[in-house]
Amino acid sequence: MLELKGITKDYPSGDTVVHALKGISVTFRDREFVSILGQSGCGKTTLLNIIGGLDQYTRGDLVINGRSTKSYLDRDWDTYRNHSVGFVFQSYNLIPHQSVIANVEMALLLSGAPASERRRRAEEALAQVGLADHIHKKPNQLSGGQMQRVAIARAIVNDPEIILADEPTGALDTDTSVEVMEILKRLSRDRLVIMVTHNPQLAEAYSDRIVRIQDGLITSDTDPVDPERERLSAEQIQQHAVADVRKGKRGMSYLSAIGLSFNNLMTKKGRTLLTAFAGSIGIIGIALILSLSDGAQNYIADTEESTMGSYPLTIQQTSMDMASMMTAMMGTSDEVSSANTSGEVESKDLVTDMVSGVANGATENDMEAIKAWLDGNPGDIQDYVTDIQYSYDSPLNVFKSDTSDGVVQVNPATVMDALGFSMSGSTQTEMLSSMSGGSGSAYDVWTPLLANKETWERDYDVVAGRMPESWNEVVVYVDKNDRISDYTLYALGLLDQDELRGMMSDVLAGEKVEAHEKTSYTYDDLLDLTFKIVPESSKYAEDDEGVWQDMSEDTAYMREVVDDADEIRVVGIVRPSEDNEVGSNWGAVLYTPELMEHLIGEVDASAAVAAQRDNPSVDIFTGVTFPDDTEVELDMDAIDAMIEQMPASQGDELRAYIDELRDEGMSDEAIASAFSRQLSNQTDNATYEGNLEKLGVADLDDPYSISIYPIDFEAKEYIDGLIDDYNAQIRADGEGTEIQYTDIVGTMMSSVTDIVNSLTYILISFVAISLVVSSIMIGIITYISVLERTKEIGILRSIGASKRDVSRIFTAETFIIGFVSGVLGILVTVLLDIPANMIIEQVSGVRDLAAVPAGAGAVLVAISVVLSLIAGLAPSRMAAKKDPVTALRTE
């Protein structure tokens, strides 16, 4: 039962108040067709809006099923309009961008009905009003009568208790009006139908009851209701309250709001697309910057990773402070001193500073302790390195297998000796190694592979054959154009080093040097190469008197040693891969770490090493006991005693030499002093350990150098931190030796990444201004949309949409625009990256540099959505606050 008690409604109008209703008291039955008649402006529509919960009364009370509405909250009125009331308007008030069935489903959507149920009930309602064949049409494709019947179907789809019709036939012709009135009459059989009209003929023809109103007051009622007699019992009121609770109200879901907004945006495709494109400009700018920045970072990372293969962190047995030496050489170590006012030229220390700088910075690393520390995987270091390579000072002596034309040593290479350089082998090695910048020697063309075989696939492409599978297999390394330097060809014995003899002298003499004729080799030629590996200890042979002699200059002996040595086979030819930016231009022979381990084992098991270890107090190369002090002071008696200990042949030669010196007039004291000096010089390395080192003995737990290959720059910095922690612990314990290491890459490229990042941030901060402008524009577009859809807001509120539902609809609209802007920005950036990459490749030769990172693209889309939602907050709140009655009057 619906009961109005003294309802008044006042409207402020400027400085005055308009009294639209002046105390309306009327009761309606649950089932009847009531027509409210009156002149325009008499308050009948206001009364209808108050009954429907669209407008609120100023004073009085509206009692619904025995419950006063004075305590109703907004959500109670929303539920009431959605479940208990159905509106039929004179101007139909259909949502134009929704289909017929979608308009009818709207009330069910707001009530939270499942999709399948919504569809079924909407089709039933449309069939009930005779529109079953028009469910997919848009409202503008229907006649006036059909649109009004759609409005009726929408009003009844939720099976409300009350139908409120405001001039339902005001815009219809006579025949159509009769059809609509017949439908309303039929509906009044099982519910209350209240119709506002100014047509007395239709009211008298179809109404069960006519209530006349004038100037805000009821003037007559053809069938008044006795409120006391119709008033519900307490039990009935409770039943209605329980029923209302069961109806509940779930409201519009986000997905439904997005669908509603999407349909609206699709009616304005051009404007929506332009808005989205304008909103995407900032995204395009940032995405382009990120695509270039990320590409540059990836390029740097790839370069760093491949560079790490040639420039690892290097820990040497003896570490020198090369930075101090360079500082001294450049003169930058000279402190600012007082001006020279003596009038004379004073000396300035340069060599002294250089030498003292190196000496002060020279430290001995405890390689055995460092290897043990690394083997313990501190800080999970293995996860941050490509590999850790250990080098040993046991010489890798490699010879050509074919000794028919003589013994040819291919490693350590003798090319520089053939050219006439007078530097020692070690000096040449160090010089050329520093020139190459790598941990391996550029002087020796035999270079170890990393133990991590995954790096083989990364760094090398197999041209022919395969990669090594055992210690005695190697591969030939050529450049990217399948070329190999003549230096390497000379070193490997493929070219005759005799061609180089005297070449340097000819050049210095000003003579023109003719280049050798270019040669080429088939893959099979190189794959047929074999070599022999000769342990350093094999160069020594024991004579008849038990003294071990260096036989490296004895061609016959060395030919026999080489012929009996282990064979090394070339099993493949490789070139640097596309990802290997630091591929060698020299060419090389690459061997596995197992080769060095095998060689160390061979040296360890050799007869010479066994002889020295069996008699550690005697020098096997002289047969003399190792002196306790290298500063030897001898007299002739001591010399005679020493000669007695020597083999007879050596002793006889030495006595003959002493006799010659005496014949030349030297005194015994001078001879003894000369012998003391000579013996002191000869015994500098004449120690047990020195002899083992001379024989090539090495300890696998005590490497000569350690090369750590970080995965990338970040990993290198992490490893730097681990070493710093190690050194800090050494200082804290006061025991052990700190790690001194060389970091060439860190010196060369430490700030490159930071520079790229800084430029990226600066550019993004400028481009981000366009994002703010885009957000403001989206906010304006959303505000315009609110103004355009004001009537739709009123329609939604009339069928039970809450303020939150209305706000959600416009929030969904900004979400869609923001999402489309973000996706469009990323797609446009991807397209722009194509010509950008073409230009970059033409200018720098770097391919496919610019590419939008997937993660960054997703983040940018999310940022676009968030900014759009923020921009749409104010318009959405404004839409939610609109008065539904005022909104419905908007055209």
Side-chain angles (χ1 to χ4, degrees), residues 410-635:
V410 299
N411 196 77
T414 57
V415 178
M416 304 305 290
D417 295 331
L419 281 171
F421 281 97
S422 59
M423 293 181 293
S424 67
S426 61
T427 306
Q428 294 176 25
T429 300
E430 291 169 4
M431 180 192 75
L432 290 171
S433 179
S434 63
M435 289 169 58
S436 72
S439 61
S441 170
Y443 176 68
D444 294 337
V445 297
W446 284 64
T447 305
L449 289 160
L450 296 181
N452 184 357
K453 293 186 178 181
E454 293 180 1
T455 62
W456 300 2
E457 298 180 3
R458 180 198 68 191
D459 293 338
Y460 309 112
D461 291 333
V462 177
V463 178
R466 56 176 173 81
M467 294 299 288
E469 295 177 356
S470 62
W471 68 267
N472 60 344
E473 294 179 343
V474 297
V475 293
V476 174
Y477 187 32
V478 297
D479 70 7
K480 292 186 176 182
N481 297 311
D482 287 356
R483 293 181 298 188
I484 192 168
S485 72
D486 56 355
Y487 178 92
T488 302
L489 294 174
Y490 280 120
L492 295 180
L494 294 174
L495 293 179
D496 189 357
Q497 291 187 16
D498 288 339
E499 298 176 4
L500 303 177
R501 312 270 179 210
M503 181 182 291
M504 184 60 66
S505 300
D506 293 341
V507 171
L508 294 176
E511 298 181 14
K512 184 177 180 181
V513 177
E514 297 293 335
H516 66 79
E517 184 179 351
K518 288 192 175 182
T519 56
S520 61
Y521 303 89
T522 66
Y523 293 153
D524 289 338
D525 290 338
L526 296 179
L527 291 173
D528 285 339
L529 290 176
T530 59
F531 304 95
K532 293 297 184 70
I533 180 171
V534 176
E536 185 70 13
S537 57
S538 296
K539 295 179 180 179
Y540 296 88
E542 186 178 15
D543 62 16
D544 296 337
E545 297 176 350
V547 177
W548 289 81
Q549 304 288 338
D550 183 356
M551 306 296 290
S552 57
E553 300 300 325
D554 188 325
T555 304
Y557 176 84
M558 289 303 299
R559 178 181 285 113
E560 183 178 350
V561 168
V562 171
D563 289 341
D564 292 339
D566 292 327
E567 186 178 74
I568 307 295
R569 303 188 309 276
V570 175
V571 296
I573 303 170
V574 299
R575 67 163 71 103
S577 66
E578 291 185 3
D579 296 331
N580 186 357
E581 299 294 338
V582 197
S584 171
N585 289 322
W586 291 61
V589 175
L590 306 180
Y591 62 90
T592 66
E594 288 79 14
L595 175 60
M596 180 56 71
E597 293 176 9
H598 174 81
L599 176 63
I600 291 173
E602 290 290 302
V603 170
D604 208 47
S606 66
V609 172
Q612 183 64 78
R613 283 178 172 163
D614 290 343
N615 197 359
S617 62
V618 176
D619 185 349
I620 64 170
F621 300 126
T622 62
V624 179
T625 302
F626 291 117
D628 295 331
D629 189 350
T630 57
E631 295 295 329
V632 181
E633 293 292 339
L634 298 175
D635 55 19

Side-chain angles (χ1 to χ4, degrees), residues 724-744:
D724 290 341
D725 292 342
Y726 176 90
N727 290 341
Q729 187 63 43
I730 291 294
R731 289 191 295 271
D733 295 341
E735 297 179 359
T737 305
E738 295 183 27
I739 299 176
Q740 303 295 330
Y741 64 99
T742 303
D743 180 10
I744 297 177

Side-chain angles (χ1 to χ4, degrees), residues 316-321 358-365 737-741:
Q316 297 283 353
Q317 194 174 59
T318 301
S319 174
M320 291 189 179
D321 187 358
V358 173
N360 292 336
T363 58
E364 291 288 335
N365 281 310
T737 305
E738 295 183 27
I739 299 176
Q740 303 295 330
Y741 64 99

Side-chain angles (χ1 to χ4, degrees), residues 824-851:
L824 186 62
I826 299 302
L827 291 177
V828 171
T829 304
V830 170
L831 294 176
L832 290 176
D833 280 342
I834 296 174
N837 281 324
M838 295 173 64
I839 295 172
I840 293 170
E841 185 175 359
Q842 288 294 324
V843 173
S844 65
V846 180
R847 299 182 59 187
D848 301 327
L849 179 72

Side-chain angles (χ1 to χ4, degrees), residues 524-794:
D524 289 338
D525 290 338
L526 296 179
L527 291 173
D528 285 339
L529 290 176
T530 59
F531 304 95
K532 293 297 184 70
I533 180 171
V534 176
E536 185 70 13
S537 57
S538 296
K539 295 179 180 179
Y540 296 88
E542 186 178 15
D543 62 16
D544 296 337
E545 297 176 350
V547 177
W548 289 81
Q549 304 288 338
D550 183 356
M551 306 296 290
S552 57
E553 300 300 325
D554 188 325
T555 304
Y557 176 84
M558 289 303 299
R559 178 181 285 113
E560 183 178 350
V561 168
V562 171
D563 289 341
D564 292 339
D566 292 327
E567 186 178 74
I568 307 295
R569 303 188 309 276
V570 175
V571 296
I573 303 170
V574 299
R575 67 163 71 103
S577 66
E578 291 185 3
D579 296 331
N580 186 357
E581 299 294 338
V582 197
S584 171
N585 289 322
W586 291 61
V589 175
L590 306 180
Y591 62 90
T592 66
E594 288 79 14
L595 175 60
M596 180 56 71
E597 293 176 9
H598 174 81
L599 176 63
I600 291 173
E602 290 290 302
V603 170
D604 208 47
S606 66
V609 172
Q612 183 64 78
R613 283 178 172 163
D614 290 343
N615 197 359
S617 62
V618 176
D619 185 349
I620 64 170
F621 300 126
T622 62
V624 179
T625 302
F626 291 117
D628 295 331
D629 189 350
T630 57
E631 295 295 329
V632 181
E633 293 292 339
L634 298 175
D635 55 19
M636 291 308 297
D637 292 336
I639 293 174
D640 289 338
M642 183 180 69
I643 292 174
E644 291 296 331
Q645 296 179 18
M646 291 182 180
S649 60
Q650 291 184 4
D652 292 342
E653 289 179 5
L654 187 54
R655 285 191 182 93
Y657 179 61
I658 293 173
D659 291 339
E660 289 179 8
L661 294 177
R662 283 173 176 163
D663 293 341
E664 292 175 1
M666 288 186 67
S667 66
D668 287 350
E669 291 78 6
I671 294 172
S673 178
F675 265 83
S676 297
R677 289 194 302 272
Q678 181 67 24
L679 190 59
S680 295
N681 293 333
Q682 290 179 350
T683 57
D684 281 345
N685 280 327
T687 63
Y688 173 74
E689 291 77 10
N691 280 7
L692 291 180
E693 182 178 347
K694 187 175 181 179
L695 291 170
V697 174
D699 185 352
L700 291 175
D701 292 328
D702 189 10
Y704 176 78
S705 69
I706 301 173
S707 299
I708 303 174
Y709 295 84
I711 295 173
D712 50 32
F713 242 49
E714 288 74 15
K716 184 193 77 65
E717 293 175 356
Y718 176 78
I719 295 169
D720 288 340
L722 290 179
I723 295 176
D724 290 341
D725 292 342
Y726 176 90
N727 290 341
Q729 187 63 43
I730 291 294
R731 289 191 295 271
D733 295 341
E735 297 179 359
T737 305
E738 295 183 27
I739 299 176
Q740 303 295 330
Y741 64 99
T742 303
D743 180 10
I744 297 177
V745 177
T747 304
M748 292 191 301
M749 301 179 66
S750 59
S751 61
V752 174
T753 302
D754 291 337
I755 293 173
V756 173
N757 286 337
S758 298
L759 290 175
T760 301
Y761 298 147
I762 292 170
L763 291 173
I764 287 177
S765 63
F766 279 110
V767 176
I769 297 174
S770 62
L771 279 179
V772 177
V773 175
S774 300
S775 300
I776 294 173
M777 181 203 64
I778 290 174
I780 294 172
I781 295 297
T782 306
Y783 174 75
I784 294 172
S785 180
V786 171
L787 297 180
E788 291 176 343
R789 299 173 68 184
T790 299
K791 190 165 188 176
E792 182 181 336
I793 293 171

